[in-house]
């Protein structure tokens, strides 16, 4: 897969290294010629020196045949412009953007051409919540620009769902239980699967069905 | 030959005749690529007629204008972001659009974001 990364800072360079190791065709666009000269010997990717906010730069760099664009610079405004240009001028199928300041997170949506936004603080919050919480609902990953969300609930002893089969739970039609993790094993959920206290239940929900699923799994 | 043509015009369905008219009209633009032959993600010019217009409500409370454009060979979707109406862009309008397509529209149709357009 051809991946173009805007910005060769710590984040960009690291992603580039990872993707090259995974066997992808990686192109890095970086404005600073010094940085490119410094990184070129250690990082075996295609380099392009130029301003990623310029359509002509992106054209020359060959964005027209990139499968994925990652806007990974340290500046949110740059990431937004790169995302918008990638989506609208080059019709890139998948655009991933890094959110530097959590306060800007709301801007990173389809209007700006962003398919997936990655915000370190938000990811950390979700992971910390997941690690410390039993018996509460944790949102792990939004899909389709927030139309669906992967949630996780570790069932507490007093969960209304404990010791009941999945068919019995009466999950709403626009939500689904996708996996049950029990003592390190993934249990593929079927109608007759009985969930127990301590199980980690993963479910895909829509904003409408989230409250109902919460009531089923958490109670209250 | 003339008789055969007349017979055809009398017996063919209205849809069929409309499509033929449209194809004939679109073939007058040599710079345009027939929609069925558009390659994804290449700069392209297309000519066609707006068959339907939709205002797409979005979660962030903006409205996007989506026009299905047909030239008798196929249909592409032009999407103007953040616009609820554009003067002259209405069903039945023939227009020329220029931009880059990707097959991400409804039903895998070619989708063009914010194309340069020219009313014909």
């Amino acid at each position: 897969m051809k991946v173009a990364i805007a910005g060769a800072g710590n984040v960009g360079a690291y992603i580039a290294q990872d993707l090259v190791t995974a066997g992808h065709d990686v192109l890095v666009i970086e404005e600073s010629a010094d940085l490119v000269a410094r990184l070129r010997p250690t990082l075996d990717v295609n380099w392009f020196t130029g301003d990623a906010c310029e359509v002509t730069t992106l054209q020359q760099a060959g964005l027209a045949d990139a499968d994925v664009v990652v806007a990974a610079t340290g500046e949110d405004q740059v990431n937004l412009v790169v995302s918008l240009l990638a989506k609208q001028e080059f019709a890139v199928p998948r655009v991933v953007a890094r959110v530097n300041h959590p306060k800007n997170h709301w801007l990173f949506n389809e209007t700006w051409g962003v398919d997936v936004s990655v915000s370190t603080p938000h990811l950390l919050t979700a992971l910390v919540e997941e690690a410390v919480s039993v018996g509460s609902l944790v949102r792990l990953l939004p899909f389709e620009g927030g139309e669906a969300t992967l949630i996780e609930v570790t069932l507490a002893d007093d969960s209304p769902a404990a010791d009941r089969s999945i068919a019995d739970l009466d999950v709403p039609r626009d939500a689904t239980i996708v996996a049950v993790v029990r003592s390190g094993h993934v249990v593929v959920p079927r109608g007759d699967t009985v969930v127990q206290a301590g199980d980690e239940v993963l479910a895909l929900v829509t904003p409408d069905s989230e409250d109902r699923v919460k009531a089923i799994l958490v109670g209250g | 030959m003339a008789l055969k043509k007349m017979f055809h015009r009398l017996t063919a369905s209205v849809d069929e005749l409309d499509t033929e008219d449209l194809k004939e009209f679109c073939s007058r633009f040599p710079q345009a690529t027939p929609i069925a032959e558009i390659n994804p993600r290449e700069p392209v010019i297309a000519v066609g007629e707006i068959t339907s217009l939709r205002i797409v409500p979005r979660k962030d409370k903006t409205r996007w204008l989506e026009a299905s454009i047909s030239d008798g060979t196929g249909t592409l979707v032009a999407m103007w972001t953040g616009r609820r109406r554009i003067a002259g862009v209405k069903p039945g309008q023939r227009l020329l659009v220029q931009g880059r397509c990707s097959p991400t529209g409804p039903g895998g149709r070619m989708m063009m974001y914010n194309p340069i357009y020219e009313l014909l």
Side-chain angles (χ1 to χ4, degrees):
Chain A
M1 197 138 69
K2 184 167 173 186
V3 186
I5 300 170
N10 285 330
V11 175
Y14 189 82
I15 300 171
Q17 182 63 64
D18 251 15
L19 290 173
V20 163
T21 315
H24 295 289
D25 178 10
V26 179
L27 163 79
V28 181
I29 304 167
E30 166 62 45
E31 198 176 11
S32 154
D34 291 347
L35 188 57
V36 172
R38 203 165 69 232
L39 288 174
R40 200 189 283 269
T42 55
L43 197 51
D44 185 26
V45 298
N46 297 315
W47 289 93
F48 193 91
T49 313
D51 182 0
C53 291
E54 287 282 348
V55 180
T56 43
T57 308
L58 298 176
Q59 176 79 51
Q60 286 161 11
L63 220 66
D65 59 350
D67 299 303
V68 184
V69 165
V70 186
T73 75
E75 287 174 65
D76 285 337
Q77 66 272 32
V78 173
N79 290 347
L80 281 176
V81 170
V82 171
S83 303
L84 185 73
L85 292 178
K87 192 52 128 193
Q88 302 208 347
E89 295 296 321
F90 298 97
V92 174
R94 198 150 183 81
V95 178
V96 182
R98 165 188 177 194
V99 185
N100 293 283
H101 197 297
K103 273 193 174 154
N104 296 332
H105 196 241
W106 65 277
L107 264 170
F108 287 71
N109 58 24
E110 273 184 316
T111 306
W112 281 93
V114 179
D115 293 311
V116 181
S117 61
V118 186
S119 158
T120 323
H122 281 122
L123 266 181
L124 282 175
T125 325
L127 291 174
V128 169
E129 270 193 312
E130 198 255 350
V132 299
S133 63
V134 172
S136 67
L137 180 141
V138 183
R139 292 186 193 89
L140 293 180
L141 200 61
F143 295 104
E144 290 287 328
E147 290 306 313
T149 313
L150 184 67
I151 59 150
E152 184 265 355
V153 178
T154 303
L155 297 184
D157 291 335
D158 59 353
S159 161
D163 303 318
R164 292 175 63 187
S165 73
I166 286 175
D168 219 23
L169 292 179
D170 198 20
V171 176
R173 292 186 72 87
D174 49 354
T176 180
I177 291 177
V178 290
V180 177
V181 183
R182 182 175 299 159
S183 50
H185 295 285
V186 176
V187 180
V188 178
R190 298 166 63 106
D192 57 1
T193 307
V194 176
V195 292
Q196 306 164 355
D199 283 358
E200 229 180 299
V201 178
L202 294 164
L204 209 53
V205 300
T206 61
D208 296 334
S209 62
E210 189 180 312
D211 285 345
R212 180 86 190 97
V213 171
K214 189 176 177 189
I216 291 168
L217 295 175
V218 182
Chain B
M1 198 62 196
L3 198 67
K4 197 174 174 189
K5 202 170 174 184
M6 196 173 132
F7 183 72
H8 174 69
R9 290 208 65 97
L10 286 173
T11 52
S13 72
V14 174
D15 273 358
E16 217 172 294
L17 292 176
D18 282 352
T19 311
E20 279 169 25
D21 278 355
L22 188 58
K23 268 190 189 158
E24 194 274 322
F25 174 81
C26 296
S27 64
R28 281 185 240 156
F29 297 85
Q31 74 274 41
T33 311
I35 291 174
E37 290 165 29
I38 291 178
N39 291 322
R41 310 192 56 200
E42 272 175 18
V44 77
I45 294 175
V47 173
E49 187 174 282
I50 298 181
T51 53
S52 74
L53 205 58
R54 201 160 74 97
I55 297 168
V56 189
R58 304 191 63 85
K59 208 165 21 86
D60 56 6
K61 297 196 175 68
T62 58
R63 302 267 194 283
W64 293 11
L65 190 64
E66 182 197 270
S68 299
I69 299 169
S70 172
D71 69 349
T73 68
T75 306
L76 72 78
V77 178
M79 180 76 98
W80 284 278
T81 57
R83 300 293 293 267
R84 161 202 304 250
R85 64 178 293 273
I86 294 172
V89 174
K90 54 184 192 295
Q93 174 71 46
R94 288 175 178 177
L95 77 175
L96 179 149
V97 287
Q98 183 180 357
R100 234 181 259 261
C101 284
S102 62
T104 52
R109 272 183 288 169
M110 286 293 180
M111 174 89 118
M112 209 184 249
Y113 279 104
N114 299 320
I116 298 170
Y117 66 98
E118 196 179 306
L119 305 176
L120 301 171

